[in-house]
């Protein structure tokens, strides 16, 4: 466990489990829709952008399709790279009182991101089984997918979802059972 996440422990708090999210390329169920959509977007943007650049004299108007190409490349590939990057810098901690998610900064000097869920106050917790002994634990009400919802990057990059979650952890059912035990004692 990283020393910087230990610094967030409260006095007398006991660590029950620590871990990291599943590493590497990881698809979410919504990618059944997002992957084809992003490749269609990127393909159209590249085609239209190429036509604009080759058929018109250079102007600010010819740069506009390039913006759509950049968005298309991010939707097709970049969001997966960002998700891998964020998960590689994330640590999870389960204590006898709280669930802690700590995302370390990408560069020195930038602030880290800390999410804390108080498990003694009856937080809603959901278990999502994955392959083998892996699974995800969602804390709180999950926001469903909505292509047109503003400012919810979590739909495109699951590791940045505003709903707190342990993503693709090993021994997920055992961790979930520990959380259930904690909540039953607190309730």
């Amino acid at each position: 466990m990283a020393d910087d996440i230990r610094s967030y422990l409260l006095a007398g708090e006991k660590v029950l489990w620590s871990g990291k999210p599943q590493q590497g390329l990881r698809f979410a169920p919504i990618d059944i829709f997002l992957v084809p959509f992003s490749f269609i977007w990127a393909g159209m943007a590249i085609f239209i952008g190429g036509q604009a650049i080759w058929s018109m004299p250079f102007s600010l108007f010819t740069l506009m399709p390039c913006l759509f190409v950049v968005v298309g490349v991010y939707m097709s590939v970049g969001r997966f790279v960002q998700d891998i990057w964020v998960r590689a810098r994330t640590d999870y901690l389960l204590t006898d009182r709280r669930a802690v998610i700590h995302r370390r900064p990408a560069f020195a000097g930038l602030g880290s991101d800390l999410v804390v869920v108080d498990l003694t106050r009856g937080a809603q917790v959901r278990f999502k089984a994955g392959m083998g002994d892996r699974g995800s634990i969602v804390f709180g009400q999950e926001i469903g997918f909505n292509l047109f919802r503003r400012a919810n990057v979590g739909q495109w990059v699951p590791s940045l979802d505003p709903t707190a979650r342990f993503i693709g952890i090993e021994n997920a059912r055992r961790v979930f059972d520990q959380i259930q035990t904690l909540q039953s004692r607190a309730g």
Side-chain angles (χ1 to χ4, degrees):
M1 178 173 39
D3 288 337
D4 49 344
I5 195 170
R6 280 195 186 275
S7 68
Y8 295 107
L9 291 175
L10 300 174
E13 198 169 21
K14 294 180 181 107
V15 175
L16 302 176
W17 173 85
S18 65
K20 293 184 78 50
Q22 182 178 8
Q23 300 299 298
L25 183 62
R26 187 171 195 281
F27 291 101
I30 195 63
D31 286 323
I32 291 171
F33 168 74
L34 292 179
V35 168
F37 173 79
S38 65
F39 280 109
I40 290 170
W41 175 289
M44 288 175 47
I46 290 169
F47 177 75
I48 292 169
Q51 293 294 320
I53 289 171
W54 293 112
S55 65
M56 295 182 192
F58 179 77
S59 70
L60 288 178
F61 181 72
T62 57
L63 289 180
M64 195 59 140
C66 294
L67 176 64
F68 287 95
V69 170
V70 169
V71 170
V73 169
Y74 174 78
M75 288 183 348
S76 301
V77 178
R79 67 189 182 93
F80 292 110
V81 172
Q82 183 180 17
D83 189 51
I84 290 168
W85 177 261
V86 171
R87 283 185 286 113
R89 307 189 63 72
T90 300
D91 297 302
Y92 299 142
L93 193 65
L94 177 66
T95 73
D96 57 348
R97 299 182 212 168
R98 307 177 301 156
V100 180
I101 301 167
H102 181 243
R103 294 182 194 102
R104 295 183 310 278
F107 303 102
L110 296 177
S112 62
D113 184 23
L114 181 72
V115 178
V116 177
V117 178
D118 186 350
L119 299 172
T120 63
R121 298 189 186 229
Q124 180 184 11
V125 181
R126 292 183 50 213
F127 174 71
K128 292 185 165 189
M131 301 283 289
D133 69 341
R134 287 197 178 273
S136 297
I137 300 172
V138 180
F139 303 96
Q141 184 63 35
E142 206 169 10
I143 301 169
F145 178 78
N146 181 344
L147 180 62
F148 303 105
R149 182 181 297 119
R150 197 171 64 116
N152 186 2
V153 72
Q155 296 177 124
W156 297 90
V157 183
S159 59
L160 295 178
D161 195 310
T163 305
R165 63 185 70 224
F166 290 166
I167 299 172
I169 61 172
E170 290 182 13
N171 302 313
R173 182 58 196 239
R174 185 177 58 80
V175 175
F176 179 72
D177 290 342
Q178 285 180 303
I179 293 168
Q180 294 296 294
T181 302
L182 285 172
Q183 288 187 318
S184 68
R185 285 184 197 154

